[in-house]
Amino acid sequence: MKQPELFGTNGIRGVPNEDLTTDLAMGIGKAIGTFFNGGKIAIAKDTRISGDMFMLAVASAIMSTGSDVIYVGELPTPGLQYYCKSKGIPGVMITASHNPPQYNGIKAIDKDGTEIDEESEIKIEDIYNGKLFKQASWEKIGTYNYDSTAIGLYMDSIVSMVDEKAIKERRLNVVIDTGNGASYYTSPTILTKLNCHVVSLNANPDGKFSSRNSEPKPENLVDLISVMKTGKFDLGIAHDGDADRCVFIDEKGNYIDGDKSLALIVKHTIQKGDIVVTPVSSSDALENICREKGAKLISTRVGAPIVARAMIDNNASIGGEENGGIIYGKHQFCRDGAMTMALMLNLLTHENKTVSSLLEEIPDYTMAKSSVARKKSWEEIKKLLMENFSGKKMDFTDGVKIFDEDGWTLIRPSGTEKIIRIFSESPSKSLAEEYNKTYMDFLANL
């Protein structure tokens, strides 16, 4: 099957004025406008300093095709997606999500609020490569308008999906680190609406992400972890640059891996007969939980749009990835950091237990992650893996998943960077780390 060349796992990304130029942005903008063929197209951006440049380039290109552009502001990607779903119009998000500040990107959103599928991405690329752009006559060129209601619409929708009254009565003590990204206003405000006692870190827009790196990994959350170790708070929360992901710190200051927070939220959200969707990179803990609850688990290739499409096709209630990206189908079919945050508040309120005690109920698996630079083509790497580890069971749903005696390792090319990602899991921490090192060393020496 043909794969998109410009669109990666989550849109087009690159370094401004290097591999992501305004010429490329305008060409893609024209292709998007041509593909959606008239009407209105919403556009938003995160806080990156190159956001205005790319937003204006894409917007002007879309208008040249005869579509009207509605700028809805600086807000999380799921905020734009909810607006698109609510209004029934497509959209474009200018973001590089968790990538460092020197990156930016372009993500296309469908009329139902989901990220466009691969087939649509290929059609947009074909329009771009063939310069098959629609060009409106002077009197039919699109207009540019601003709609300030998107942020309020999004925040109110999040609050409406949880037990607002109970959470307000619980009055949880929460620390949130928005990392100078797109959630700097929305997530602290949602917490305030839910009557939490809120301490905010880095809740100011800063396109250089001066306070910390955008990806919410433990090494980037030193300040948040330090505050949580004071023992004065119930929950620590952190987002990435565009806030489609959310990770947590427990009341003792311990970082909670994304696979564990996903398992915890799934366990306290699903009922018998429900369907859960997750990529092959997710923890086996989810399979155990679904079996225990009488729910069905469906595994897919890695990528939030792929998970979302599978959820729609199978009428799944919840899904997500091990990186803190949870998709709550009852709200919208996309990763949503604020919705994930609200679901965690909801279960803490109803269970009336600490986060650490709730995590003790989750099947205990350890996941080790690493990456190496991709020096050869993926097809060459895949062939070498199959030849050198031919005696082991393998799965090729996405990349190569190799099963060892008491665990597994998934090896796949990143859709956003020129690296190979390596995920290893086992009930034994030492084995997970051993498996990860074995395959990392093999790939590094190719």
Side-chain angles (χ1 to χ4, degrees), residues 317-355:
S317 59
I318 194 166
E321 302 172 298
E322 43 67 45
N323 58 11
I326 293 180
I327 303 170
Y328 190 49
K330 294 179 181 179
H331 182 236
Q332 59 176 341
F333 289 100
C334 66
R335 294 190 304 194
D336 192 332
M339 188 70 251
T340 301
M341 172 184 79
L343 288 171
M344 183 65 84
L345 297 177
N346 207 53
L347 80 86
L348 282 178
T349 297
H350 286 158
E351 295 302 315
N352 199 26
K353 295 179 181 178
T354 62
V355 182

Side-chain angles (χ1 to χ4, degrees), residues 162-175:
V162 293
D163 191 343
E164 180 182 357
K165 183 174 182 293
I167 296 173
K168 282 182 174 179
E169 290 175 355
R170 177 75 191 271
R171 191 157 169 72
L172 291 157
N173 293 316
V174 176
V175 187

Side-chain angles (χ1 to χ4, degrees), residues 2 31 121-132:
K2 184 180 177 182
E121 289 175 342
I122 290 167
K123 287 179 180 177
I124 290 171
E125 289 186 4
D126 287 344
I127 294 169
Y128 170 78
N129 290 325
K131 299 192 185 307
L132 305 172

Side-chain angles (χ1 to χ4, degrees), residues 72 92 106 158 171 261 435:
V72 297
V92 178
I106 304 166
I158 298 287
R171 191 157 169 72
S261 57
Y435 293 149

Side-chain angles (χ1 to χ4, degrees), residues 7 29 38 90 124 132 178 230 240 248 289-290 372 392 414 417 435:
F7 286 89
I124 290 171
L132 305 172
T178 65
T230 63
D240 61 335
F248 301 101
I289 287 167
C290 288
V372 296
K392 298 182 180 184
S414 168
E417 301 172 74
Y435 293 149

Side-chain angles (χ1 to χ4, degrees), residues 184-444:
Y184 70 90
Y185 174 76
T186 50
S187 283
T189 302
I190 289 168
L191 291 170
T192 300
K193 284 176 177 283
L194 290 169
N195 200 35
C196 295
H197 173 249
V198 186
V199 171
S200 298
L201 302 179
N202 310 314
N204 60 298
D206 177 357
K208 293 182 178 179
F209 301 147
S210 304
S211 60
R212 67 165 173 88
N213 289 332
S214 177
E215 189 163 11
K217 298 191 292 188
E219 58 266 34
N220 298 333
L221 301 176
V222 175
D223 291 342
L224 175 59
I225 289 170
S226 177
V227 173
M228 288 304 297
K229 282 184 175 177
T230 63
K232 296 177 181 179
F233 300 93
D234 299 302
L235 183 67
I237 301 164
H239 294 306
D240 61 335
D242 70 335
D244 63 350
R245 289 163 52 183
C246 182
V247 302
F248 301 101
I249 313 298
D250 75 12
E251 79 285 356
K252 298 176 183 178
N254 298 310
Y255 180 89
I256 303 170
D257 288 327
D259 58 306
K260 286 185 166 55
S261 57
L262 173 60
L264 181 59
I265 289 173
V266 165
K267 178 178 179 179
H268 291 276
T269 304
I270 60 171
Q271 298 176 342
K272 185 176 181 180
D274 281 350
I275 295 173
V276 179
V277 180
T278 196
V280 290
S281 57
S282 290
S283 172
D284 287 346
L286 270 183
E287 186 176 345
N288 294 358
I289 287 167
C290 288
R291 192 184 305 118
E292 174 193 321
K293 290 277 192 174
K296 179 182 178 182
L297 181 68
I298 295 174
S299 295
T300 70
R301 288 164 47 214
V302 173
I306 295 166
V307 174
R309 294 289 165 190
M311 288 180 67
I312 293 169
D313 292 343
N314 293 279
N315 195 28
S317 59
I318 194 166
E321 302 172 298
E322 43 67 45
N323 58 11
I326 293 180
I327 303 170
Y328 190 49
K330 294 179 181 179
H331 182 236
Q332 59 176 341
F333 289 100
C334 66
R335 294 190 304 194
D336 192 332
M339 188 70 251
T340 301
M341 172 184 79
L343 288 171
M344 183 65 84
L345 297 177
N346 207 53
L347 80 86
L348 282 178
T349 297
H350 286 158
E351 295 302 315
N352 199 26
K353 295 179 181 178
T354 62
V355 182
S356 61
S357 63
L358 287 166
L359 285 169
E360 290 173 1
E361 303 168 9
I362 300 298
D364 192 17
Y365 289 87
T366 296
M367 189 175 288
K369 303 176 189 178
S370 62
S371 63
V372 296
R374 178 162 57 85
K375 301 172 185 175
K376 298 178 181 287
S377 74
W378 169 243
E379 288 306 316
E380 288 179 282
I381 294 168
K382 182 178 178 181
K383 183 180 178 183
L384 288 167
L385 286 167
M386 292 169 67
E387 289 173 354
N388 283 270
F389 302 98
S390 58
K392 298 182 180 184
K393 178 185 171 184
M394 296 185 184
D395 178 274
F396 302 100
T397 301
D398 190 352
V400 180
K401 191 172 185 178
I402 304 173
F403 294 86
D404 283 286
E405 187 176 342
D406 197 12
W408 54 261
T409 298
L410 175 68
I411 300 162
R412 59 178 296 275
S414 168
T416 57
E417 301 172 74
K418 292 179 181 179
I419 58 174
I420 299 294
R421 298 192 187 278
I422 309 155
F423 305 78
S424 301
E425 184 180 78
S426 172
S428 161
K429 181 180 179 183
S430 60
L431 271 180
E433 292 172 348
E434 180 185 322
Y435 293 149
N436 201 263
K437 187 176 187 305
T438 296
Y439 294 107
M440 182 177 67
D441 290 345
F442 174 78
L443 292 166

